[in-house]
Amino acid sequence: MITPQTILVGQGKVFISSSFIAACESLGSVQPAPPGNGPAKEHVERTFSSINTLFVQHVAACTGSHTGERGKDAEGEAVRTPARLDDLLQEWIIWGRQAREHDGLRYPVTPRCALSPKDGGGAGRRVRVRPGATGQ
């Protein structure tokens, strides 16, 4: 089982509750994000963006950012239970998100080749890519 070293939590009511903090502390140390500072948790925001654009839009009856974007028979298609949606999300994380190459994940011996988390395993290293760098 993979467990986090640090869990970055937002300032929303649910995230600062004693129950949530206790659950997070049982997995690793908790680091509160500074209030009103989106860049402090940009990787979290990017993950939510990826879920919205790469997963949720393909779920039957997805309404997008508003109900005017839903399909022709949204009510008829919306037959997924929360448990089934969770199963689909977990499958997407494993076979979709984790299989995509990430510019920040590379082997030190082949720094020009971006890897997916799935392919890189524990041997990859996270690196910062300079703006405008092509990796070549």
Side-chain angles (χ1 to χ4, degrees):
M1 180 167 104
I2 298 172
T3 56
Q5 292 178 346
T6 304
I7 300 171
L8 179 68
V9 295
Q11 297 295 319
K13 196 179 222 180
V14 68
F15 302 117
I16 58 173
S17 71
S18 58
S19 298
F20 186 82
I21 295 296
C24 289
E25 286 175 341
S26 72
L27 297 171
S29 66
V30 175
Q31 176 185 342
N37 187 344
K41 54 186 173 120
E42 65 188 59
H43 59 287
V44 175
E45 300 299 333
R46 179 67 186 126
T47 298
F48 284 131
S49 175
S50 293
I51 290 170
N52 282 330
T53 59
L54 300 172
F55 169 71
V56 174
Q57 71 173 349
H58 300 291
V59 175
C62 170
T63 61
S65 59
H66 56 79
T67 56
E69 293 182 5
R70 65 177 142 185
K72 293 180 180 180
D73 186 24
E75 288 78 17
E77 294 178 353
V79 293
R80 306 269 195 257
T81 64
R84 180 62 182 136
L85 284 173
D86 182 55
D87 288 343
L88 291 171
L89 177 62
Q90 298 304 322
E91 287 178 25
W92 173 79
I93 289 171
I94 294 167
W95 301 109
R97 177 74 175 154
Q98 295 299 94
R100 292 186 67 192
E101 291 180 351
H102 298 265
D103 281 337
L105 186 60
R106 299 170 186 269
Y107 281 123
V109 294
T110 56
R112 293 182 178 156
C113 299
L115 301 169
S116 72
K118 195 171 171 184
D119 292 336
R125 303 257 195 255
R126 290 193 63 78
V127 296
R128 292 225 179 254
V129 177
R130 292 184 319 273
T134 63
Q136 298 180 356

